């Protein structure tokens, strides 16, 4: 009696495994795209959002002696495009159109005013104050008024975002928007307005204390 020969299952070639992996990734990718394209399909699963953040911890406290005398509101449209050498944009590359809205404050640092910068006559009716020039603060983007208009990404970028811990990050365009807003603030008359407002505030304050003549000068002695 002869024993039947048991055939071992054939192994899948390496190229077939690679093709299967690509097909699986594309299926997951286009399935995610379909959830955002087909109306009503995303709500079928009833997703919910829960905020499980811990309490905010106080790391440090800084004393502020500056007088915020003016604030400017700015808006910029950022068009950021990234290309890859020797690859078409459909395969590798991205382009983001982003509207950034934010503000920049102009302030006068009153903490740098020394005893020699304030001169008062004997009758306390006249005072001269010398203050440092106004400076600009860091640009602050408003998340409620900043948004991405459109995003175009190549196939490899989409696959990378699917496995990334921070997909569709807008950090690059946000930094670029803040930079453009800061540059626009430097070209504006924001610091001049801040010095004018500071002068008006100090004159009104000292006159209410009985001073009849008040002079405010900006810059080094």
């Amino acid at each position: 009696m002869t024993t039947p020969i048991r055939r071992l299952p054939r192994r899948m070639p390496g190229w077939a495994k690679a093709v299967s992996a690509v097909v699986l990734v594309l299926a997951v990718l286009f399935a995610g795209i379909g959830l955002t394209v087909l109306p009503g399909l995303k709500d079928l699963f009833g997703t919910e959002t829960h905020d499980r953040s811990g309490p905010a911890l106080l790391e440090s406290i800084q004393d502020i002696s500056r007088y915020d005398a003016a604030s400017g509101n700015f808006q910029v449209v950022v068009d950021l495009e990234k290309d890859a050498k020797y690859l078409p944009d459909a395969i590798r590359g991205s382009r983001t159109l982003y509207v950034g809205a934010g503000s920049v404050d102009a302030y006068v640092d009153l903490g740098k005013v020394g005893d020699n910068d304030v001169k008062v006559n004997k009758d306390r009716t006249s005072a001269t104050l010398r203050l440092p020039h106004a400076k600009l603060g860091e640009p602050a983007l408003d998340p409620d008024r900043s948004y991405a208009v459109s995003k175009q990404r190549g196939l490899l970028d989409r696959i990378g975002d699917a496995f990334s811990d921070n997909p569709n990050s807008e950090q690059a365009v946000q930094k670029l928007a803040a930079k453009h807003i800061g540059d626009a603030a430097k070209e504006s008359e924001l610091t001049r307005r801040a010095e004018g407002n500071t002068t008006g505030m100090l004159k009104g304050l000292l006159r209410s204390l009985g001073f009849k003549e008040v002079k405010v000068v900006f810059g080094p002695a």
Side-chain angles (χ1 to χ4, degrees):
M1 182 176 182
T2 59
T3 303
I5 299 176
R6 184 179 181 183
R7 296 183 178 181
L8 297 176
R10 296 179 60 184
R11 293 185 177 180
M12 181 180 295
W15 63 268
K17 293 182 179 180
V19 172
S20 300
V22 173
V23 172
L24 179 60
V25 171
L26 292 178
V28 173
L29 177 64
F30 287 109
I33 296 175
L35 290 177
T36 60
V37 174
L38 297 179
L41 184 58
K42 183 173 61 176
D43 298 334
L44 180 63
F45 298 96
T47 58
E48 296 180 356
T49 302
H50 301 279
D51 186 4
R52 305 187 186 279
S53 306
L57 300 178
L58 177 63
E59 293 184 349
S60 63
I61 297 178
Q62 295 179 346
D63 294 331
I64 298 177
S65 58
R66 72 185 197 182
Y67 174 65
D68 290 330
S71 181
N73 296 316
F74 301 87
Q75 187 179 75
V76 61
V77 178
V78 177
D79 189 353
L80 182 60
E81 183 176 3
K82 295 182 179 181
D83 297 326
K85 292 183 178 180
Y86 312 115
L87 289 177
D89 295 340
I91 300 299
R92 183 64 185 272
S94 64
R95 183 176 181 180
T96 303
L97 194 63
Y98 183 84
V99 176
S103 61
V104 178
D105 293 335
Y107 66 92
V108 176
D109 192 354
L110 300 179
K112 294 184 178 181
V113 178
D115 296 336
N116 295 331
D117 297 324
V118 179
K119 297 180 180 180
V120 179
N121 64 350
K122 295 181 180 180
D123 298 334
R124 297 185 61 83
T125 58
S126 176
T128 301
L129 291 82
R130 183 173 294 276
L131 307 178
H133 282 294
K135 294 183 178 180
L136 295 175
E138 294 295 330
L141 286 181
D142 186 353
D144 294 332
R145 297 190 295 124
S146 302
Y147 56 93
V149 178
S150 64
K151 297 179 182 179
Q152 300 175 4
R153 292 169 295 155
L155 178 60
L156 295 181
D157 296 274
R158 290 178 178 271
I159 295 176
D161 290 341
F163 294 95
S164 174
D165 294 334
N166 187 20
N168 301 333
S169 175
E170 296 179 352
Q171 185 176 8
V173 290
Q174 289 175 350
K175 288 184 176 180
L176 194 55
K179 178 182 180 301
H180 288 315
I181 289 176
D183 293 340
K186 295 177 182 178
E187 299 296 331
S188 67
E189 297 183 357
L190 198 56
T191 54
R192 184 180 301 178
R193 175 70 67 87
E195 292 181 359
N197 293 341
T198 304
T199 300
M201 182 272 296
L202 291 176
K203 285 185 176 181
L205 177 62
L206 293 179
R207 284 171 180 169
S208 66
L209 297 177
F211 288 88
K212 298 181 179 179
E213 183 180 353
V214 178
K215 184 179 180 180
V216 180
V217 182
F218 290 90

